[in-house]
Amino acid sequence: MAGHTENSVVIQAPLKLVWDVTNDVAGWPELFTEYASAEIVERRGETVRFRLTMHPDEEGRVWSWVSDRTVNAADRTVHAHRVETGPFAYMQIFWRYEELPGGGTRMTWIQDFAMKPTAPVDDRGMTDRLNTNSPVQLEIIRRRVEALATGPATPAAAAVPASAEKE
């Protein structure tokens, strides 16, 4: 049995703004509360290879991995997968963006994965974790992008200290 999740958020902001902010991988530490750093390793056409490093977990462990992410502006989708899989046998993430009537944007994350037998959780456990954490991160992204849409034009202006948003 493999894991599968699908989570969405509606952001009251133009598609172009949502697309630009959420596809700026180098800016993810200011967009997500869980990432301490995002290092761009390589760019090849529409694909970016990057290293994400998370803030330490409750046991002080720091998780880091390399992923490839390919954007397709024509159909408003993004395909990503982990190159360094860590505890995953594989992890694939599909992002879909839909422009809504009235100027809002629906952003959907679909994650398909399988855990290695040696992972600290199985497929069901990771599904539960992702279905708990993804809505939290999507809500933070929604608030930050909406703040950009109505206020100053810099991501830092919408940033709220991560300690104020941990849920």
Side-chain angles (χ1 to χ4, degrees):
M1 176 180 115
H4 173 85
T5 66
E6 183 169 336
N7 292 278
S8 294
V9 66
V10 173
I11 302 170
Q12 294 304 318
L15 175 68
K16 181 176 180 351
L17 177 65
V18 176
W19 177 267
D20 289 347
V21 171
T22 60
N23 285 298
D24 174 18
V25 175
W28 281 5
E30 289 79 42
L31 187 61
F32 293 80
T33 60
E34 59 192 354
Y35 300 137
S37 67
E39 172 195 355
I40 304 302
V41 175
E42 178 183 9
R43 292 185 188 273
R44 296 177 319 276
E46 297 301 318
T47 300
V48 62
R49 178 167 285 185
F50 58 97
R51 173 172 294 284
L52 282 179
T53 302
M54 297 185 78
H55 294 288
D57 67 15
E58 56 279 348
E59 296 172 12
R61 293 177 299 202
V62 175
W63 299 91
S64 182
W65 63 90
V66 172
S67 291
D68 281 349
R69 179 179 173 81
T70 304
V71 299
N72 184 333
D75 71 2
R76 300 175 179 142
T77 61
V78 178
H79 291 270
H81 69 276
R82 284 191 180 198
V83 176
E84 294 177 2
T85 59
F88 294 92
Y90 66 90
M91 167 58 96
Q92 299 169 347
I93 306 172
F94 176 72
W95 297 47
R96 181 177 60 235
Y97 298 78
E98 300 168 76
E99 191 167 23
L100 302 175
T105 304
R106 180 185 326 279
M107 183 174 69
T108 301
W109 294 345
I110 300 170
Q111 296 170 291
D112 290 301
F113 60 91
M115 304 306 296
K116 291 179 181 173
T118 56
V121 296
D122 61 10
D123 293 343
R124 183 179 302 275
M126 183 54 72
T127 298
D128 291 344
R129 284 185 182 195
L130 291 170
N131 279 330
T132 298
N133 189 56
S134 292
V136 170
Q137 292 301 311
L138 286 166
E139 175 61 17
I140 291 164
I141 291 167
R142 181 195 65 76
R143 290 196 316 250
R144 290 179 173 180
V145 174
E146 286 179 357
L148 288 172
T150 60
T154 62
V160 175
S163 61
E165 293 190 336
K166 294 225 175 182
E167 299 177 359

